[in-house]
Amino acid sequence: MIRCAALLFAWLPVAGAALAQGMSLPAYERVELDNGTVLIVSEKHDVPLIALQAVMRGGAVTDPQGLDGLSSLVAELLEKGAGSRDAAAFAEAVAAVGGRLSAGANLESTSVSGEFLSRDAGLMIELIADMLRRPALDAGEFARLRDRSVNLRRLARDGDLYGLLPEYGAAFLFGNHVYGRPVDGSEASLGRIRHEDVRRHYQQHFGADRLILSVVGDFDTGSMVAALTQAFGDWERSGTPAEAVPIPDPEPGPRVLLVDKPGAAQTYFWIGAPGVSIGYARRAALNLANTLFGGRYTSMLNQALRADAGLTYDARSVLTRPSQPGTVAITSFTATDTTAEAVDLALEVLATLHREPVPADVLDSARNYMLGQFPTALETAPQLAGILAQLEQYGLGRGYVDDYAGALVHVDAAALGAVIAEVYPAAADLVFVLLGDAEKIRDAAERYGPVTAIPISAPEFRP
Amino acid sequence: MALFAELRRRNVLKVALIYAVASWLVLWFVQHAGDALGLPGWAKTLIVLVLATGFPVALVFAWIYDITSSGVRKTPAVDQTQSVVYKTGQKLNAALAVLAVLGLLALIGEDFMPEFQFPVFGVPEGDAPSLPGTPAEIRSLVLDNGMKVIVWPDHDIPNVALYNFVRASVRNEQAGATGLSHFFEHMMFLGTRNHPAGEFDRIMEAAGGSNNAYTSKDLTVYQDWFPRSALETVFQLEADRLQFLAIDEEVLESERNVVLSERQSSVDDDNFSLLMEQVYATAFVAHPYQFPVIGWPADIAAWTERDLNAYFRSYYAPGNCLLVVAGDVTPQDVFRLATRHLAPIPAQRPASPVRAVEPAQQGGRRVAIERDAAAPLLHMAFHAGAAGERSTLVLDLLLKILATGDSSRLHRSLVEESGVAIAVGGYQDEGFDAGLAYFYLTLAPDADPLAVEERVMGELQRAATEGVSEAELDKARSILLADFWRGLATIDGKASALGYFEVLEGGYESLFDLPARVGAIGIDELRDVAAGVFRRDNLTTGTLRAPDGAGTAQ
């Protein structure tokens, strides 16, 4: 009888595993090579594609003073000729097999993302190894790329103004700290970058000790590990060790940056303050708080500004969480003549967040929403490759994902209240960016704090 | 210890175990067959409660009574009847073994046959695909009211993507009332007879779902993404707004401002969109494709409740809708819910078909905008074909070669070699009616748009006379193939692709022979299509630059 019972209970973990399906990371293998490179490899066979995410620790925080955008340029230059191929041949090699390959700089890393049909796995590894280990960094390509980047910065003023807010916000909040630098550079900083800067940056910040290679898709683990080891196993370490980012010390609010775009039909605004780092322990509670405050359609902010007042098409709250405390910010936009009304309303919603406990049904709704949407973030090979690389980069372990649903279920009203009080700023600490027609909104801007004004044509984001 | 021995002797432990396993089996059955049997939520809760309260009752019963050959008797306190208790124990062992095996079979079956359904009467099975290349698990069904439902089961994640394609858009609009379809797309979220404005989103998000919608020139598409557990809720919400949408005056006014805000940030404050809007309005003289999807500002300000109600009656008829569901569902689940919630929506007379036909363009057209701009913009649009035509697929391949990515001809020539452009791209419309093949270029600050236009025409005419190389054609085929697989890597992509092909390419099964059709295209066809499309008398050129004398920077 006892034997029967034991056999029966042995199957319960199988049933439990079925319930957790979609909410946890797949199995993966982690291999650390002698030269410091870390390989993370996971099989996925639903479609014949392979996704690779290569992460080099470093990024914009390693840009020398005044040369914001250097790592961004270096990243883009990696594709403009590498190994035995010049820029044209490299682009042709990728496109000929329908592959995708791109490189870019982030705040604290440079990443290369690739997605190829599984039949072209060998080519993909060859191209990425060439990009990282043997980029041409050609002077002519560099000059063209830099000039094009300067033009693109200028162009941004003609288009997506909402997308410029985080750069102005970070610059105004963090001042001279590395977190205040625009990752893609500014018109002024890009103009100062020389070819020698590129070569020096590459030599100092690219090497095996900085590298994480995360590969997910339609392949065999053993063969993939062997191929990656062969391609990267003998790479040398970088010229300098990765440095820790200093703790930011932002100037407190209230203060206002007014970015003037004469004739703008709308005002785009960012209301921010220092936030938390990626290591913040009460992450589930914080994500829950941000979801219900400004992270979904029926959030407090979007309900108030869009659904109830019709003042905007979009209102949200955003957290950035790098290795040191980042930002927490409310962002939205509205017609020029309703600027004060919209900003006041956003501040009122923030006050409500602090003043009134979150109703139980709202907490449950936000939790269900997050649990319901969670599996879609783990659906594709590129998504999984990205997450696995990020976990490795910040030393987070698979529990960061696997335990997340359980952690969400345990967030109660008290925990939520504590996180709101700790992370979301009081009105007096806020830093504002208002981007719009200064002639019309200057008076409104002055109501929120002492105003610094710059034209949108200014070549720097920082005043 | 004595108590434990007594519990064993009176078979209480065995009964407890049997009861637990039997309850688990009942609950497993209810979970899997409950939906098929139409069990309401409260019935499932009741079953759980009954089983839970029955547990202590069963234990007490086991303690007091024994099953003997002459029926149920009270268990004697003394061991003389041990032989009877022993026999009871043997019967219970047998019962336990049988239940344990059933339990194991249930778990194994669940693992190996996740799609097995307890057969239920009254729910149509739907039609299986007819072409060999189509995944066999897809099913489709046409409801009595004309609405078609397609289901693609996929159990990789416990989520579902649901799309409703409504064949109504700008194409169906008229001058003076443009933007109505897009506005309607907004209003579909803002109140029904049963759920006032805001409840649709609150209910959906509280159930774990998110949603969106978009309006193209040909279709209005509603999208829901939700966990499996919210399936019935989503069907109820979708059926409710299709049948009982109620337009409230106050909500209408508020949303009008939201759309004006959307127009301001996406067009008025965005040079690219502004120019594109003007090029479409210039390229088409007779067909509604000339209208912007968001509508002209005066029309946005003028819509009335009567306009919206008339529009709803004409276009949101069930027969004009296609529902596509992909994800952790079975066709039976979906057809049962569709039959219950969507089939009752009354059929309506089909809307009058679109009569406008764009006459052949008689000569080149131009629109030149002067406006503050950091970089000049150049757009070049040619009249091309409609979705589903062979020439449209050929043009797809051609556009990959000419304008997609860093290895494309236009990028190499204009961005890398001569540096007159910063960025270049191209696409074609692929709608119900003939649309545009559209090239868009961001130029270097000192470039002359007219000179660049000549360079572009030179490249396009080279393709029209010399055609393309085999290597280029192989590249274009590979890009299409890889994109095909990327599109099918998510349940969202599956639902979207299936619906697009069903509505615009004659049937969802065409999606799956796309690679073969691409392979069948001959290299000369690209040259011939280029010659037919890239003609000056078929061209509308749009330029946007800062006024002469103004600085290039803002």
Side-chain angles (χ1 to χ4, degrees):
Chain A
M1 182 205 120
I2 303 292
R3 283 198 302 276
C4 289
L7 193 58
L8 181 70
F9 290 131
W11 282 95
L12 288 178
V14 172
L19 285 169
Q21 181 214 5
M23 303 287 267
S24 56
L25 290 172
Y28 61 87
E29 202 162 303
R30 180 186 183 279
V31 176
E32 187 161 342
L33 304 181
D34 293 334
N35 57 8
T37 293
V38 173
L39 309 177
I40 303 176
V41 169
S42 180
E43 293 186 25
K44 187 169 171 39
H45 300 282
D46 56 334
V47 287
L49 292 166
I50 299 180
L52 187 154
Q53 178 88 339
V55 173
M56 303 284 312
R57 301 173 203 271
V61 297
T62 64
D63 290 346
Q65 183 80 15
L67 299 186
D68 309 334
L70 177 57
S71 11
S72 181
L73 281 181
V74 172
E76 287 182 71
L77 209 49
L78 297 176
E79 285 185 89
K80 305 290 185 194
S84 58
R85 299 178 175 92
D86 66 8
F90 195 93
E92 190 61 48
V94 174
V97 296
R100 282 191 190 161
L101 196 50
S102 64
N106 313 301
L107 189 61
E108 295 177 322
S109 65
T110 295
S111 51
V112 178
S113 306
E115 195 192 24
F116 284 67
L117 290 167
S118 39
R119 69 176 190 205
D120 301 311
L123 176 66
M124 179 179 73
I125 295 172
E126 180 194 322
L127 292 171
I128 291 178
D130 279 348
M131 279 174 81
L132 292 173
R133 298 186 60 170
R134 294 168 282 273
L137 302 178
D138 175 75
E141 294 290 349
F142 159 73
R144 268 201 293 280
L145 194 60
R146 181 198 51 209
D147 294 346
R148 198 178 317 149
S149 299
V150 170
N151 281 326
L152 285 170
R153 296 272 56 180
R154 285 202 194 114
L155 238 108
R157 300 166 190 145
D158 288 349
D160 177 22
L161 299 175
Y162 201 30
L164 291 176
L165 284 177
E167 286 171 299
Y168 281 112
F172 195 50
L173 179 68
F174 290 114
N176 284 322
H177 185 273
V178 290
Y179 284 173
R181 298 183 186 161
V183 172
D184 295 331
S186 65
E187 209 182 318
S189 69
L190 289 167
R192 287 192 284 265
I193 296 173
R194 301 277 159 267
H195 189 236
E196 311 84 77
D197 299 316
V198 166
R199 290 221 150 269
R200 192 184 333 117
H201 182 93
Y202 176 80
Q203 195 277 320
Q204 285 176 344
H205 297 291
F206 277 67
D209 55 315
R210 304 279 191 105
L211 179 62
I212 300 163
L213 283 166
S214 172
V215 192
V216 178
D218 184 30
F219 53 76
D220 161 73
T221 297
S223 316
M224 179 57 69
V225 170
L228 292 172
T229 306
Q230 185 175 35
F232 291 93
D234 61 349
W235 196 15
E236 302 90 30
R237 292 167 178 267
S238 59
T240 61
E243 278 175 22
V245 173
I247 298 172
D249 183 23
E251 196 192 312
R255 51 199 176 89
V256 181
L257 179 68
L258 180 56
V259 181
D260 181 22
K261 180 169 180 178
Q266 300 199 110
T267 300
Y268 302 79
F269 59 90
W270 183 96
I271 307 172
V276 299
S277 74
I278 194 153
Y280 183 72
R282 293 186 283 184
R283 160 179 157 255
L286 177 57
N287 287 344
L288 194 48
N290 201 58
T291 296
L292 63 89
F293 179 55
R296 60 175 180 164
Y297 188 83
T298 60
S299 70
M300 290 167 66
L301 277 172
N302 205 47
Q303 276 299 118
L305 274 85
R306 173 171 167 162
D308 294 343
L311 288 168
T312 186
Y313 184 67
D314 181 78
R316 60 182 64 196
S317 61
V318 183
L319 299 156
T320 64
R321 281 173 277 192
S323 62
Q324 297 292 353
T327 60
V328 52
I330 295 169
T331 65
S332 186
F333 51 87
T334 190
T336 301
D337 55 11
T338 49
T339 299
E341 197 183 332
V343 176
D344 286 349
L345 184 55
L347 293 174
E348 213 176 286
V349 178
L350 178 60
T352 305
L353 181 71
H354 280 297
R355 190 182 58 237
E356 292 171 20
V358 174
D361 63 328
V362 173
L363 196 163
D364 286 339
S365 167
R367 193 202 332 267
N368 285 348
Y369 176 81
M370 293 170 74
L371 289 171
Q373 298 294 303
F374 188 38
T376 61
L378 304 176
E379 193 177 5
T380 67
Q383 284 172 321
L384 290 166
I387 288 169
L388 290 171
Q390 190 189 38
L391 294 181
E392 179 65 34
Q393 181 187 353
Y394 290 105
L396 292 170
R398 66 176 295 149
Y400 194 78
V401 173
D402 294 352
D403 301 338
Y404 186 54
L408 277 174
V409 166
H410 283 107
V411 176
D412 60 13
L416 198 60
V419 155
I420 287 169
E422 186 177 32
V423 178
Y424 289 84
D429 300 333
L430 295 169
V431 168
F432 294 75
V433 175
L434 268 61
L435 193 165
D437 191 338
E439 201 183 301
K440 301 205 171 108
I441 64 174
R442 173 127 209 164
D443 289 344
E446 281 169 358
R447 291 166 62 241
Y448 306 112
V451 172
T452 309
I454 59 173
I456 198 170
S457 59
E460 291 280 8
F461 288 94
R462 215 174 303 143
Chain B
M1 254 339 272
L3 175 64
F4 185 75
E6 194 60 12
L7 284 170
R8 276 191 71 186
R9 190 182 76 82
R10 290 168 181 265
N11 296 309
V12 173
L13 296 181
K14 271 189 202 154
V15 167
L17 198 53
I18 288 173
Y19 193 94
V21 176
S23 300
W24 182 87
L25 268 171
V26 168
L27 289 173
W28 182 90
F29 182 77
V30 163
Q31 185 201 327
H32 283 76
D35 285 340
L37 293 170
L39 276 182
W42 63 261
K44 294 179 192 171
T45 315
L46 184 64
I47 290 171
V48 171
L49 281 174
V50 164
L51 288 172
T53 48
F55 186 68
V57 169
L59 294 183
V60 167
F61 187 91
W63 176 273
I64 298 173
Y65 294 98
D66 265 324
I67 304 165
T68 68
S69 48
S70 42
V72 173
R73 290 283 164 79
K74 274 192 121 164
T75 309
V78 184
D79 277 350
Q80 296 103 317
T81 53
Q82 191 179 3
S83 62
V84 174
V85 175
Y86 177 71
K87 279 197 184 120
T88 305
Q90 289 289 73
K91 289 189 185 102
L92 291 176
N93 279 348
L96 185 59
V98 168
L99 288 175
V101 168
L102 283 176
L104 282 177
L105 285 174
L107 282 172
I108 292 170
E110 201 172 52
D111 239 9
F112 281 100
M113 299 187 295
E115 297 186 27
F116 174 76
Q117 282 268 282
F118 286 97
V120 170
F121 302 109
V123 176
E125 281 183 12
D127 299 321
S130 52
L131 299 179
T134 310
E137 65 270 20
I138 298 176
R139 292 288 179 278
S140 66
L141 177 72
V142 180
L143 304 174
D144 288 340
N145 57 15
M147 185 185 292
K148 186 162 182 178
V149 182
I150 305 176
V151 183
W152 191 349
D154 176 341
H155 305 284
D156 280 359
I157 61 172
N159 283 53
V160 186
L162 183 150
Y163 275 59
N164 183 9
F165 292 81
V166 183
R167 295 175 185 80
S169 187
V170 152
R171 183 178 167 266
N172 307 91
E173 291 174 7
Q174 276 151 17
T178 62
L180 209 55
S181 315
H182 169 256
F183 189 57
F184 210 89
E185 179 221 303
H186 279 238
M187 294 311 290
M188 277 287 276
F189 292 85
L190 295 178
T192 70
R193 219 190 288 167
N194 304 308
H195 294 298
E199 268 192 30
F200 180 89
D201 287 307
R202 268 196 293 278
I203 294 171
M204 175 141 341
E205 295 203 336
S210 70
N211 61 66
N212 209 336
Y214 67 86
T215 313
S216 70
K217 297 259 180 185
D218 297 278
L219 301 164
T220 307
V221 182
Y222 297 90
Q223 308 156 293
D224 301 320
W225 304 282
F226 51 93
R228 169 71 178 81
S229 54
L231 187 64
E232 173 131 35
T233 302
V234 171
F235 264 86
Q236 284 167 342
L237 288 172
E238 288 296 343
D240 180 56
R241 65 176 173 170
L242 280 171
Q243 194 171 7
F244 298 119
L245 193 70
I247 294 163
D248 174 292
E249 275 289 350
E250 252 180 63
V251 171
L252 194 163
E253 286 315 310
S254 172
E255 201 62 15
R256 195 197 300 271
N257 287 334
V258 169
V259 172
L260 281 167
S261 173
E262 189 187 347
R263 199 196 141 84
Q264 276 178 326
S265 65
S266 66
V267 178
D268 300 340
D269 275 349
D270 184 330
N271 284 353
F272 181 96
S273 301
L274 182 68
L275 181 60
M276 180 171 271
E277 186 179 78
Q278 289 298 310
V279 169
Y280 270 85
T282 308
F284 289 98
V285 298
H287 193 283
Y289 282 162
Q290 67 184 269
F291 306 138
V293 168
I294 198 166
W296 298 117
D299 295 349
I300 294 174
W303 304 315
T304 65
E305 202 178 310
R306 191 139 58 109
D307 294 333
L308 291 169
N309 285 323
Y311 187 89
F312 187 62
R313 276 194 305 276
S314 298
Y315 294 106
Y316 278 69
N320 213 25
C321 299
L322 166 71
L323 202 77
V324 182
V325 184
D328 191 15
V329 293
T330 62
Q332 200 173 24
D333 290 332
V334 173
F335 294 149
R336 178 177 46 84
L337 290 168
T339 306
R340 185 187 302 166
H341 296 288
L342 295 169
I345 301 174
Q348 275 163 238
R349 214 156 40 106
S352 22
V354 172
R355 298 189 317 205
V357 175
E358 182 71 16
Q361 186 168 335
Q362 297 295 319
R365 296 171 184 157
R366 228 164 250 294
V367 55
I369 302 175
E370 287 195 341
R371 185 183 163 94
D372 196 19
L377 302 180
L378 171 65
H379 290 190
M380 294 171 64
F382 299 86
H383 283 282
E389 294 168 1
R390 189 187 176 95
S391 61
T392 301
L393 189 54
V394 174
L395 191 52
D396 254 347
L397 291 169
L398 201 46
L399 287 171
K400 297 272 181 283
I401 295 166
L402 292 170
T404 300
D406 288 3
S407 73
S408 67
R409 288 192 181 184
L410 288 176
H411 180 94
R412 293 233 51 80
S413 153
L414 302 175
V415 178
E416 300 292 348
E417 283 157 27
S418 63
V420 295
I422 296 171
V424 60
Y427 71 90
Q428 63 171 327
D429 283 327
E430 301 197 49
F432 287 120
D433 303 324
L436 300 176
Y438 203 103
F439 297 94
Y440 48 92
L441 296 91
T442 308
L443 305 184
D446 53 354
D448 170 18
L450 297 179
V452 180
E453 181 185 349
E454 284 313 300
R455 281 179 183 267
V456 173
M457 277 312 295
E459 279 292 340
L460 298 182
Q461 278 161 347
R462 188 160 69 84
T465 48
E466 296 168 18
V468 305
S469 69
E470 284 289 354
E472 285 176 313
L473 181 54
D474 279 342
K475 171 173 69 174
R477 287 199 185 112
S478 290
I479 293 173
L480 273 173
L481 180 68
D483 285 350
F484 168 82
W485 283 116
R486 287 182 185 112
L488 300 183
T490 61
I491 55 177
D492 175 65
K494 284 179 165 164
S496 179
L498 221 49
Y500 172 87
F501 274 76
E502 175 69 21
V503 166
L504 282 163
E505 302 248 358
Y508 73 85
E509 301 205 51
S510 335
L511 167 61
F512 302 99
D513 73 348
L514 180 65
R517 278 184 288 131
V518 168
I521 287 172
I523 195 165
D524 290 343
E525 293 184 64
L526 280 82
R527 183 196 60 213
D528 296 342
V529 166
V533 173
F534 301 140
R535 303 178 338 260
R536 285 180 198 275
D537 63 358
N538 194 32
L539 167 63
T540 301
T541 303
T543 59
L544 188 152
R545 64 198 304 192
D548 282 342
T552 50
Q554 188 272 344

